Each structure stands twice: as C-alpha cells, then as structure tokens.
Amino acid sequence: MHARFFTSNPSQSHPPHKEVRTKASAWIRQTHRWLSIVFTLTVIANFAVRALGEPPAWIAYSPLPPLFLMLFSGLYMFVLPYRANRSARP
C-alpha cells in the first residue's frame, strides 16, 4: 500500500479535491433525502384530493418536479461507486 494511507494526520491522507467531492456528494445525498420527503408528501396530497374528486392540474402534476430532481441526484449517486473504482485502478 501507499504510505499516504498510513499517515497519522487524517487531513493529509486525502487530496483536497477528494474533500470537495465528498462534501458535494454529501450535499447531493441530503438533498435527495429531502426531495424524497417532498415527493412522498405531494403524492399523499394528490391521492387525498383525488378522493374528493378530480384535482386541478397543478395538484395532479405537483409530484413531478421533485421526481425529476431525484432522478438526476439518484443517477449521480448510482454512478459514484463505479467512478471510484475506475479512479482507484492504476
């Protein structure tokens, strides 16, 4: 193994660009979690309003914006392990 993995100072074990990538990844992961809560609430509201009759279009389509944002953040998180494996290869 490389000597940088055995250093006593953890801040020196990873290059600075790794820390930025990790912070961005954590931010995207947290955003994805909150978007899933918003999406779930909009779907529940959609079904509740449908029980009363035909909902207006803005209620019927309200789950779509968080769903599309979750699509992009989910695809990013899906690709992360493959990108890490590729960068770890010599």
Side-chain angles (χ1 to χ4, degrees):
M1 293 200 103
H2 294 37
R4 69 178 182 177
F5 292 113
F6 298 110
T7 60
S8 59
N9 188 353
S11 65
Q12 292 178 352
S13 63
H14 297 291
H17 69 279
K18 280 264 198 200
E19 290 180 23
V20 172
R21 188 180 306 157
T22 304
K23 287 181 183 180
S25 179
W27 183 82
I28 289 173
R29 195 174 302 272
Q30 188 66 33
T31 303
H32 187 82
R33 287 185 192 124
W34 281 105
L35 283 171
S36 68
I37 293 170
V38 171
F39 174 73
T40 302
L41 292 174
T42 57
V43 169
I44 291 170
N46 199 340
F47 279 106
V49 172
R50 283 189 186 274
L52 303 174
E54 188 62 29
W58 70 272
I59 292 178
Y61 294 119
S62 63
L64 293 180
L67 181 64
F68 284 128
L69 292 172
M70 283 177 28
L71 170 73
F72 297 121
S73 61
L75 286 173
Y76 172 79
M77 289 189 298
F78 178 77
V79 169
L80 278 179
Y82 298 105
R83 247 175 83 193
N85 287 343
R86 180 172 288 212
S87 65
R89 291 183 190 166

